């Protein structure tokens, strides 16, 4: 099956710093989503981004489908950004949206 | 509007008992998914429902697991004869269609004693 690799596995920042999270995938994909899992375990949709670039406030994401990677940018980080960031993909050629998740990046933002 | 609703939020039960977990998707969403999040396995797909089509059960770990979706809306995931390795957070998601983003509920934390 498809492999989804996220890096770095852990990231520690001071409030106000910027960061880039990466997601590599081993096959063509139909869909790609970025999620933030907060300390209470809730999975929050950040981006639905099978290709191209999107921005939402301090967060932006870019997916280069032909090169099989996606990047999540967090600018001016805040303590509320702490949690686990997951990338999840739907394998290309399938007729349904089963998500395959990466192992996540654990982000800790210190005040 | 209302998001995906799951109940109970927490469930503690003894090994060998049966449990039922409920998911109420976002209104109008035709696709419904169950996932499981455990320490050793990360987030993994269990089962998928789309409209009136036969469900994709390819992710169910054993025949002790089953799920149904009544009337194209609410879904129930049933685990029979629970084992300690079934302890995990069970997450439900729904989407407007296969090609739309999935929205997750808050999950049911299942603990098997």
């Amino acid at each position: 099956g498809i492999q989804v690799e996220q890096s770095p596995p852990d990231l520690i920042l001071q409030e106000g710093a910027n960061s880039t999270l990466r997601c590599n995938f081993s096959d063509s994909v139909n869909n790609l989503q970025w999620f933030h899992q907060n300390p209470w375990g809730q999975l929050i949709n950040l981006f639905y981004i099978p290709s191209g670039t999107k921005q939402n406030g301090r967060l932006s994401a870019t997916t280069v489908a032909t090169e099989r990677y996606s990047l999540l940018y967090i600018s001016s980080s805040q303590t509320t950004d702490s949690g686990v960031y997951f990338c999840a993909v739907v394998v290309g050629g399938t007729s349904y949206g089963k998500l395959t998740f990466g192992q996540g990046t654990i982000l800790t933002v210190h005040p | 509007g209302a998001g995906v609703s799951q109940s109970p939020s927490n469930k503690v039960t003894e090994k060998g008992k049966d449990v039922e977990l409920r998911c109420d998707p976002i209104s109008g969403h035709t696709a419904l998914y169950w996932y499981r999040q455990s320490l050793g396995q990360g987030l993994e797909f269990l089962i998928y429902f789309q409209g009136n089509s036969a469900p994709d059960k390819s992710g169910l770990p054993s025949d002790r697991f089953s799920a149904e979706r009544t009337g194209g809306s609410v879904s129930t995931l049933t685990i029979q004869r629970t084992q300690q390795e079934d302890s995990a957070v069970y997450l439900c998601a729904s989407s407007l269609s296969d090609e739309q983003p999935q929205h997750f509920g808050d999950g049911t934390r299942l603990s098997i004693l």
Side-chain angles (χ1 to χ4, degrees):
Chain A
I2 192 169
Q3 303 298 311
V4 182
E5 296 180 356
Q6 293 186 240
S7 59
D10 297 275
L11 186 58
I12 300 174
L13 301 174
Q14 285 297 128
E15 201 166 29
N18 302 328
S19 61
T20 300
L21 282 58
R22 187 176 180 102
C23 172
N24 292 332
F25 40 94
S26 61
D27 206 343
S28 61
V29 298
N30 283 342
N31 297 343
L32 187 146
Q33 286 185 251
W34 282 98
F35 296 92
H36 174 215
Q37 188 165 43
N38 64 23
W40 296 270
Q42 296 170 317
L43 264 177
I44 310 298
N45 278 308
L46 297 178
F47 294 101
Y48 171 73
I49 187 166
S51 64
T53 297
K54 291 186 178 179
Q55 181 158 6
N56 184 3
R58 297 182 295 104
L59 273 60
S60 64
T62 295
T63 298
V64 184
T66 53
E67 297 187 19
R68 300 182 181 172
Y69 73 89
S70 183
L71 301 173
L72 177 68
Y73 306 95
I74 304 174
S75 65
S76 304
S77 58
Q78 300 176 357
T79 56
T80 51
D81 295 332
S82 296
V84 186
Y85 289 79
F86 289 102
C87 167
V89 303
V90 174
V91 177
T94 55
S95 60
Y96 55 84
K98 179 179 87 174
L99 287 170
T100 300
F101 284 81
Q103 290 303 305
T105 292
I106 302 172
L107 175 64
T108 304
V109 181
H110 291 301
Chain B
V4 177
S5 178
Q6 292 189 244
S7 61
S9 54
N10 286 282
K11 177 73 175 178
V12 180
T13 193
E14 294 179 347
K15 177 182 170 181
K17 301 286 189 183
D18 297 352
V19 295
E20 284 190 355
L21 313 179
R22 176 188 169 104
C23 173
D24 201 342
I26 294 172
S27 178
H29 281 197
T30 61
L32 186 148
Y33 310 81
W34 284 96
Y35 295 86
R36 178 169 74 171
Q37 185 172 27
S38 55
L39 281 176
Q41 301 298 321
L43 273 151
E44 52 183 351
F45 165 80
L46 296 177
I47 189 169
Y48 157 78
F49 296 90
Q50 172 56 280
N52 295 322
S53 302
D56 175 2
K57 305 178 183 179
S58 61
L60 294 179
S62 79
D63 59 8
R64 296 185 295 104
F65 288 71
S66 63
E68 63 177 19
R69 189 179 184 192
T70 53
S73 180
V74 172
S75 176
T76 302
L77 177 69
T78 301
I79 309 173
Q80 295 179 311
R81 305 182 302 283
T82 51
Q83 304 294 312
Q84 287 188 330
E85 62 262 29
D86 300 334
S87 296
V89 177
Y90 290 81
L91 292 157
C92 177
S94 70
S95 62
L96 272 172
S97 70
D98 296 344
E99 292 151 4
Q100 295 295 315
Q102 294 182 28
H103 301 269
F104 282 78
D106 289 346
T108 293
R109 183 174 299 276
L110 177 63
S111 300
I112 310 299
L113 303 179

